[in-house]
Amino acid sequence: MTTVSQNMFDTGAELATALARKIADRLSAAIAARGQASLAVSGGSTPKALFAALSKLDIDWAKVTVTLVDERMVGPENERSNHRLAKLFLLKDRAAAAKFLPLFNSAGTAEDVAAQAAKEIDALALPFDVVVLGMGTDGHTASFFPGGSTLADVTDPACGQSVMAIEAPGAGEPRLTLTLPRIVDAGLIVLHIEGDDKRSVLARALENGPAAELPVRAVLRQAKTPVELYWAP
């Protein structure tokens, strides 16, 4: 299992400021080295403050591609869309200049949509420079849900597809998700969680046990670099 570097904060606002700066530094370093950078972000309510802080930072955003770690099978006008969340909270102010690559498209079935999204992800200069993950109290991260229909495939370190579809009892709509290899190859992997409940789940995830029980274990065990935990109450 990879090590977890713990960054603990008293408030979510302090966390958002510090993590935004960390991400900005990594993206700017990538731009300086290669002329471009890539960032994959997660949805939910937790990252809103982070997105707002990051959007104001002085990065050469025109050279940054932003995409999603996972997405629901809904259009960008839907309130549950991660695309919509990113547009509202991240892709504004200075970050409005970034290129955005959504996962959802109109290709047809969830599997067709995933295949089309995978082609577009594969066309990027991989690996990602930064991947920001969240985690649910059920131990899911990305759309690696316990009991997921394709959980074994999306968490396979040898998975050959960059994006796959998955359905699970706790997921609501069918989902699209980056697969494990795309996540664990990232230059910087951040696990951004808030609240004592999630901290307790993470403590369990760091113990022995099957990855299928708490799928965040797949990332913790396969990450190529230490996972950076950012936590606040």
Side-chain angles (χ1 to χ4, degrees):
M1 181 179 291
T2 189
T3 56
V4 175
S5 176
Q6 302 202 15
N7 303 275
M8 318 296 269
F9 298 87
D10 292 330
T11 68
E14 292 173 357
L15 183 160
T17 299
L19 181 51
R21 173 47 59 194
K22 174 89 172 185
I23 293 169
D25 288 348
R26 186 59 66 99
L27 295 177
S28 294
I31 292 167
R34 304 193 322 273
Q36 59 185 319
S38 55
L39 167 66
V41 298
S42 299
S45 59
T46 301
K48 288 180 180 178
L50 166 64
F51 288 172
L54 187 57
S55 71
K56 296 178 175 65
L57 294 185
D58 187 14
I59 305 167
D60 191 350
W61 282 105
K63 296 177 180 176
V64 177
T65 297
V66 177
T67 191
L68 300 168
V69 170
D70 64 332
E71 179 62 284
R72 297 169 174 88
M73 276 289 292
V74 297
E77 72 290 340
N78 190 293
E79 289 189 359
R80 286 171 59 77
S81 164
N82 288 343
H83 179 159
R84 181 176 184 271
L85 184 83
K87 285 286 189 181
L88 286 175
F89 293 95
L90 175 58
L91 301 166
K92 61 177 187 173
D93 299 324
R94 286 174 168 166
K99 176 187 176 183
F100 180 62
L101 179 59
L103 297 185
F104 179 78
N105 57 70
S106 57
T109 66
E111 290 73 22
D112 292 338
V113 171
Q116 179 60 38
K119 289 180 183 178
E120 297 181 15
I121 294 293
D122 288 343
L124 298 177
L126 298 169
F128 289 110
D129 294 296
V130 182
V131 169
V132 183
L133 300 170
M135 185 189 72
T137 53
D138 61 355
H140 88 267
T141 192
S143 279
F144 303 166
F145 281 87
S149 57
T150 57
L151 181 62
D153 296 319
V154 299
T155 59
D156 183 347
C159 182
Q161 296 172 247
S162 293
V163 181
M164 290 188 68
I166 187 168
E167 297 184 44
E173 304 90 344
R175 302 281 189 113
L176 309 162
T177 188
L178 294 181
T179 58
L180 185 67
R182 286 290 169 252
I183 292 172
V184 299
D185 282 350
L188 173 64
I189 305 169
V190 175
L191 182 59
H192 175 194
I193 59 175
E194 298 184 11
D196 289 331
D197 287 351
K198 290 187 179 182
R199 190 175 177 184
S200 297
V201 172
L202 179 61
R204 286 175 50 214
L206 289 167
E207 297 171 353
N208 292 329
E213 177 188 33
L214 297 170
V216 70
R217 285 174 172 156
V219 174
L220 297 172
R221 293 172 181 176
Q222 299 294 332
K224 306 296 175 60
T225 60
V227 174
E228 294 274 352
L229 170 66
Y230 276 73
W231 177 88

